[in-house]
Amino acid sequence: MEKKLHIWLTIGFILTNLFCDAQTQALGDSLDYSKPKNTSYVLIGLNYSSDWVYMGRSDSLSNPYLVPSMEYNHKSGIFINGSLSYLTNESSKRIDLLSIALGYDYSGDDISTGLSATGYFFNDDSYNIQSEMTLYSSAWLSYDFRLAEAGIAAAIGLGGSADGFASAELRRSFYLLYGDLKIRPGVVANWGTQQYYNEYYQYRSSSSGNGQRKGKGPGGSSSSGSTIVLEEVSKFRLLDYEFSIQIAYNLSRILLYSEATYAIPLNPAEVTIDEVIFEESLDNKFFWSAGISYRLFGND
């Protein structure tokens, strides 16, 4: 996020996924450019993401989403965003997630800060890695050192249990075509607890960790009756590094954007299945997103 912003897309799992991020969303908006000053505006967007990856983890089945969204930004910095995530997987086509976010964003000459809270309403059949979360709240702070922009963030995820997360980011922006084309490479490190991940494994995982498909089951029991538990999920530790490049092209009220991310997960969990303990298998992940947004109202 820089001192001039054209578009503010929700922190969280909506277009963070750009975002998500899917999806490190906590450090704020990655799509800047001349945000209208002292005026309110509405933002309409459509985004496609190839998969939903969080902290370097994802389900063994991909979660490609087509996401229409609408956001209202008040001139005070308060914003509210609503979105619908439509799952486009070959075997599953459905509305997989509805979300709504409320937050506040401030941008000064060099410092940017803000906070947001996002509510999630997942489909009962969702196998999204965060599908047991119902609320995600984050706060962030970034400073432009000219040579690079540095940011930190903290977040809390609530579901059956509470998880804490933290992120640190370095990015550098390059402008071409009279400033209308922006290229922004960066690197992010993510820390956190994984109680939400344990709940996902127990109730929604499409893979039990040994490659065998399982469905939702009460009390952490798979469809075959096996009990699955992740160990030390309350331990706060480094979970992944993410290297990404964002590209945005500004056409006055229209913004075209894309992002590609390569995530390197760390510290695999120990998984217990029927009292047999083994280490979770983690693979590096590449995912991308692209979209278009249109701004209503506000000065150019």
Side-chain angles (χ1 to χ4, degrees):
M1 187 166 33
E2 299 187 359
K3 52 189 175 183
K4 290 188 177 181
L5 294 161
H6 172 61
I7 292 179
W8 211 105
L9 299 180
T10 296
I11 302 305
F13 297 88
I14 305 173
L15 299 176
T16 105
N17 261 332
L18 300 177
F19 340 92
C20 236
D21 232 44
Q23 304 137 14
T24 301
Q25 308 86 344
L27 294 184
D29 181 29
S30 61
L31 303 177
D32 32 9
Y33 277 147
S34 65
K35 174 181 176 180
K37 293 183 178 296
N38 303 316
T39 187
S40 302
Y41 64 93
V42 173
L43 181 69
I44 299 173
L46 182 64
N47 177 68
Y48 176 82
S49 59
S50 64
D51 198 3
W52 188 286
V53 181
Y54 186 67
M55 301 290 176
R57 278 79 173 163
S58 66
D59 193 88
S60 59
L61 297 178
S62 64
N63 282 268
Y65 284 138
L66 185 64
V67 186
S69 69
M70 179 174 290
E71 179 173 301
Y72 173 72
N73 290 261
H74 190 265
K75 59 184 178 181
S76 65
I78 295 173
F79 65 88
I80 184 170
N81 178 295
S83 73
L84 177 156
S85 296
Y86 183 79
L87 184 65
T88 62
N89 196 304
E90 285 292 332
S91 60
S92 302
K93 296 182 182 297
R94 61 170 179 263
I95 297 175
D96 202 54
L97 168 64
L98 298 174
S99 60
I100 184 167
L102 177 66
Y104 174 79
D105 172 50
Y106 168 78
S107 296
D109 290 337
D110 297 310
I111 295 177
S112 297
T113 186
L115 53 85
S116 69
T118 305
Y120 302 110
F121 305 91
F122 282 97
N123 189 294
D124 288 342
D125 295 323
S126 177
Y127 47 85
N128 186 302
I129 189 73
Q130 290 175 284
S131 52
E132 289 300 312
M133 271 194 197
T134 56
L135 180 65
Y136 188 90
S137 300
S138 64
W140 65 93
L141 173 67
S142 65
Y143 188 86
D144 188 352
F145 291 95
R146 308 304 183 206
L147 183 62
E149 180 187 0
I152 56 175
I156 296 175
L158 298 177
S161 303
D163 283 293
F165 307 100
S167 300
E169 176 184 41
L170 279 177
R171 290 195 181 275
R172 176 68 187 272
S173 297
F174 301 91
Y175 296 90
L176 301 171
L177 301 179
Y178 303 100
D180 289 334
L181 177 64
K182 179 178 180 179
I183 301 174
R184 193 174 187 237
V187 58
V188 178
N190 294 306
W191 293 261
T193 59
Q194 294 182 289
Q195 296 187 93
Y196 78 95
Y197 194 38
N198 184 42
E199 293 169 0
Y200 147 83
Y201 249 93
Q202 292 182 12
Y203 298 109
R204 300 189 186 238
S205 172
S206 64
S207 171
S208 63
N210 58 4
Q212 299 301 312
R213 182 173 174 80
K214 65 182 278 295
K216 289 200 314 178
S221 297
S222 70
S223 57
S224 62
S226 298
T227 299
I228 304 173
V229 178
L230 268 67
E231 307 295 334
E232 298 185 328
V233 293
S234 61
K235 186 176 181 179
F236 190 84
R237 53 188 174 180
L238 180 62
L239 295 178
D240 84 326
Y241 293 113
E242 296 180 11
F243 301 88
S244 65
I245 183 167
Q246 302 161 352
I247 300 175
Y249 186 64
N250 180 31
L251 294 168
S252 184
R253 293 178 179 271
I254 297 175
L255 187 72
L256 304 175
Y257 53 85
S258 64
E259 180 171 10
T261 302
Y262 187 74
I264 303 175
L266 304 169
N267 292 315
E270 286 191 346
V271 183
T272 300
I273 299 182
D274 293 340
E275 300 183 353
V276 177
I277 300 176
F278 65 93
E279 187 175 82
E280 174 191 22
S281 176
L282 293 176
D283 297 319
N284 297 346
K285 298 183 182 298
F286 174 80
F287 54 98
W288 60 274
S289 67
I292 183 172
S293 63
Y294 180 74
R295 175 169 52 84
L296 300 173
F297 315 119
N299 301 320
D300 291 325

